[in-house]
Every structure is written in structure tokens, then in C-alpha cells.
């Protein structure tokens, strides 16, 4: 039986961000055995991708707090820096440009 260094419960944005940060940190230190456990049949937690009539969009986010950390995590995952907010009245509607 292999022992784990870290068990992350939930493959939502928080769990996946933590796993990404731990893997990135381990690249400069010793390797870690990390397991992300999820009860649903997919990753993403409350966030899901929907499609319709040729469009693709994200649904389900409970909240979105835009700060420098958003750009840092996005850039670390291959997404260009910058968040474009659709309307100031709807701060949770945003686009991260790939």
C-alpha cells in the first residue's frame, strides 16, 4: 500500500488549485504523493461547462474574487493574465483569455 503525503477532498476549483500549487512546489523539492478525491463523476465542483447553439460557457460558480492571485493561478495553468468583466453590475461574469 502506497502512503500519501496529501489527500485533497474535492476536485472543485479550490481542490484543483491546491493540487496545482503542491505539484508546483514539489518540483523544486522532493516529489509528493498527492491524491485528489471527488464524489462526482467529473471535476469542477459547482462549476460546469455548458454548450448550446454554438456557444460554450461556464455555470455554477458561487463567487468570484478578482485579485492578483487570479492572474497568478491562471498564468500558472497556461491562461493569459487578465480578467475581462462583462458588466460592472455582474462582477461574477468574466472571461479568462487563453
Amino acid at each position: 500500500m502506497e502512503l500519501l503525503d496529501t489527500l485533497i477532498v474535492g476536485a472543485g476549483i479550490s481542490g484543483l488549485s491546491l493540487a496545482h500549487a503542491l505539484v508546483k512546489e514539489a518540483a523544486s523539492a522532493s516529489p509528493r504523493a498527492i491524491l485528489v478525491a471527488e464524489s462526482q463523476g467529473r471535476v469542477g465542483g459547482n462549476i460546469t461547462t455548458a454548450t448550446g447553439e454554438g456557444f460554450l460557457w461556464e455555470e455554477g460558480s458561487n463567487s468570484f474574487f478578482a485579485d492578483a492571485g487570479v492572474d497568478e493561478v491562471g498564468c500558472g495553468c497556461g491562461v493569459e493574465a487578465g480578467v475581462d468583466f462583462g458588466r460592472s453590475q455582474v462582477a461574477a461574469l468574466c472571461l479568462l483569455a487563453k
Side-chain angles (χ1 to χ4, degrees):
M1 174 192 300
E2 182 181 343
L3 295 178
L4 294 174
D5 295 310
T6 306
L7 170 63
I8 300 171
V9 178
I13 191 68
S14 297
L16 295 175
S17 295
L18 175 58
H20 176 74
L22 291 173
V23 168
K24 186 176 173 182
E25 179 183 285
S28 62
S30 61
R32 293 184 177 173
I34 301 169
L35 175 67
V36 179
E38 175 56 54
S39 64
Q40 297 183 34
R42 61 172 184 77
V43 299
N46 291 327
I47 300 173
T48 186
T49 302
T51 59
E53 298 184 27
F55 293 95
L56 177 75
W57 66 91
E58 303 300 316
E59 295 180 338
S61 178
N62 289 332
S63 62
F64 187 87
F65 182 74
D67 66 2
V70 172
D71 283 345
E72 183 179 327
V73 170
C75 290
C77 295
V79 177
E80 291 177 10
V83 178
D84 294 329
F85 290 96
R87 295 190 310 261
S88 61
Q89 302 91 339
V90 187
L93 177 62
C94 66
L95 169 69
L96 291 175
K98 176 94 170 151

